[in-house]
Amino acid sequence: MHTSEALALSAALLAAAGDLTRRINDGVVARGFEGRPSYGFAFTRLARGGATVTELGVHLGVTKQAASQLVDELVRKGYVERLPHPGDARARLIVLTERGRECTRAAEEAAAEAVRAWADVLGEEQLGALRAQLTRIAPSGPIRPVW
Amino acid sequence: MHTSEALALSAALLAAAGDLTRRINDGVVARGFEGRPSYGFAFTRLARGGATVTELGVHLGVTKQAASQLVDELVRKGYVERLPHPGDARARLIVLTERGRECTRAAEEAAAEAVRAWADVLGEEQLGALRAQLTRIAPSGPIRPVW
DNA sequence: CTCTATGGTCAAGCTGCTTGACCATGTTGT
DNA sequence: ACAACATGGTCAAGCAGCTTGACCATAGAG
C-alpha cells in the first residue's frame, strides 16, 4: 500500500464510522428518543450490571468529570439513575432505568438497520470479514473521535 | 448479524478510526510539526492545486466559517497561504506552502507507518480488502466525527 | 443594469470537553 | 490504631472548535 493510500484509508475509516454513527443516531431519534451518539456507547457499558462514573469515563475515553456530566444528562432525561454502590460508599452505581433499556433497544435496532444497509452493498460474508478485521486491528482503541 | 453485534461493529469502527487518527497525529508531531488531525485531511484536499475555503468546508463537512478559521490557523503556522483566485475576485485560492508540503509528507509517512502496523496483523491481502470494503460502504461520508 | 446567488469574513454564542481544587471514603504500612 | 496516601465523585472555571446570523464584495442571470 502506498503512502498516499494510507491517508485515504484513514479517511475512509472515519467516513464509515461517521456515517454509521449518524445513521444510528437518526434511527434512535426517529424512534422517539432524544440523544447524542455517545449515549449508545455509554449504554453498552451500563447494560451489564451498571458501572461507576469513573469506569464509564475509561470506557468512553474521557475524564471522570466529563463522564459525570454525561450521567447528569442521562439522569435528567430519565435514562439512568445513580444508586449507592454496594461495598464502596464513595462510589455510585449508574444503572439503566426501564426507559434507558428501551432506548438501548432502539439504538440496537437502529444499528442493525444501518448495518443491514451495508450488508446489501457488501454481502453478509464481506461484512463479517470487515467486523473480524476491525476487531483484530483496534481491540482497545478509544470509542471516541480523535480529531 | 445480530442486533447487539451491530453496535459492536460501530464501536469497533470508531475505535479503529480513532486509533489510526491518533497514531498519524502522533507521528506528525514526532516529526517536528504541530497540528491537529484535521490538518491532514485538509492537506489532502489542498494538495492538488489548492481549494477555496468553501470547498474545503464541504470536504471536511463543516461550515465555511469553521473552514476559514482552520485556514487562519494554518496560515499562522505557515502551512498554507491565501492567494487571489484567478478568475473569481470574490474567492481566494488556499494553497500549501513548502512547509505545508513537508507537513503533508510527514502525515503520509506517519499514516503509512500506522497502516504498516495493521498490515502486520491482518496481512496485505486482508488490508486491501478492508480498504475496498470501506470505500464501497461510505463513499461520501463526512470526514469528521459525528459524536 | 437590476436582482439574486455565491465566496468570504466578522462577531457572538454554545456544547462538550479539560484542568484544578476539594471532600468523603477506602487502603496500606508501621 | 492511626497517619499517610490513593481513589471515587463533584464543583467550578476555562477553552477549543464548532455553529448561527449579519454583512460586504463580486458574479451571473433575467
Side-chain angles (χ1 to χ4, degrees):
Chain A
M1 178 168 294
H2 291 78
T3 55
S4 60
E5 292 176 15
L7 260 183
L9 173 60
S10 177
L13 211 38
L14 224 35
D19 182 63
L20 181 53
T21 306
R22 186 184 46 74
R23 283 168 186 262
I24 293 175
N25 196 53
D26 288 353
V28 170
V29 170
R31 284 170 176 78
F33 299 88
E34 50 174 353
R36 303 188 267 140
S38 59
Y39 287 11
F41 300 111
F43 289 166
T44 61
R45 181 65 185 79
L46 298 177
R48 293 172 61 85
T52 66
V53 163
T54 298
E55 286 165 353
L56 192 54
V58 170
H59 179 247
L60 295 176
V62 298
T63 60
K64 58 183 181 177
Q65 291 92 326
S68 186
Q69 288 172 12
L70 178 63
V71 169
D72 285 343
E73 209 177 310
L74 292 172
V75 168
R76 222 178 302 127
K77 293 186 177 160
Y79 294 145
V80 309
E81 53 185 343
R82 291 185 223 247
L83 301 182
H85 195 289
D88 190 340
R90 295 171 304 176
R92 306 210 202 175
L93 192 62
I94 316 298
V95 296
L96 290 168
T97 61
E98 182 49 38
R99 173 107 182 128
R101 280 186 290 273
E102 285 169 15
C103 188
T104 303
R105 277 189 291 275
E108 285 170 351
E109 285 171 23
E113 197 173 276
V115 168
R116 203 175 309 131
W118 285 4
D120 292 343
V121 178
L122 288 185
E124 278 292 339
E125 195 178 346
Q126 291 276 299
L127 191 63
L130 176 63
R131 187 181 188 285
Q133 287 156 356
L134 288 173
T135 44
R136 290 191 61 194
I137 273 176
S140 63
I143 319 285
R144 61 179 303 226
V146 182
W147 176 246
Chain B
M1 180 167 295
H2 291 78
T3 55
S4 60
E5 292 176 14
L7 260 183
L9 173 60
S10 177
L13 212 38
L14 222 37
D19 181 63
L20 181 54
T21 306
R22 184 184 48 74
R23 282 168 187 261
I24 294 174
N25 196 55
D26 288 353
V28 170
V29 171
R31 284 168 176 79
F33 299 88
E34 50 173 351
R36 304 188 267 141
S38 58
Y39 287 10
F41 299 111
F43 290 164
T44 61
R45 181 65 186 79
L46 298 176
R48 293 173 62 86
T52 65
V53 163
T54 298
E55 287 166 350
L56 192 55
V58 169
H59 179 247
L60 295 177
V62 299
T63 59
K64 58 184 180 178
Q65 291 92 328
S68 186
Q69 289 172 11
L70 178 62
V71 170
D72 285 342
E73 209 176 309
L74 292 172
V75 168
R76 222 177 304 126
K77 293 186 178 161
Y79 294 144
V80 309
E81 54 186 341
R82 290 185 224 250
L83 301 181
H85 194 289
D88 189 341
R90 295 171 303 175
R92 306 208 202 176
L93 193 61
I94 315 298
V95 298
L96 290 169
T97 61
E98 181 49 37
R99 173 105 182 129
R101 279 186 290 275
E102 285 169 16
C103 188
T104 302
R105 277 190 291 275
E108 285 170 351
E109 285 171 22
E113 196 173 276
V115 168
R116 202 175 309 131
W118 286 5
D120 291 345
V121 177
L122 288 185
E124 277 294 336
E125 195 180 343
Q126 290 277 298
L127 192 62
L130 175 64
R131 187 183 187 287
Q133 288 156 355
L134 287 173
T135 44
R136 289 191 62 197
I137 273 177
S140 63
I143 319 284
R144 61 180 304 230
V146 182
W147 180 244

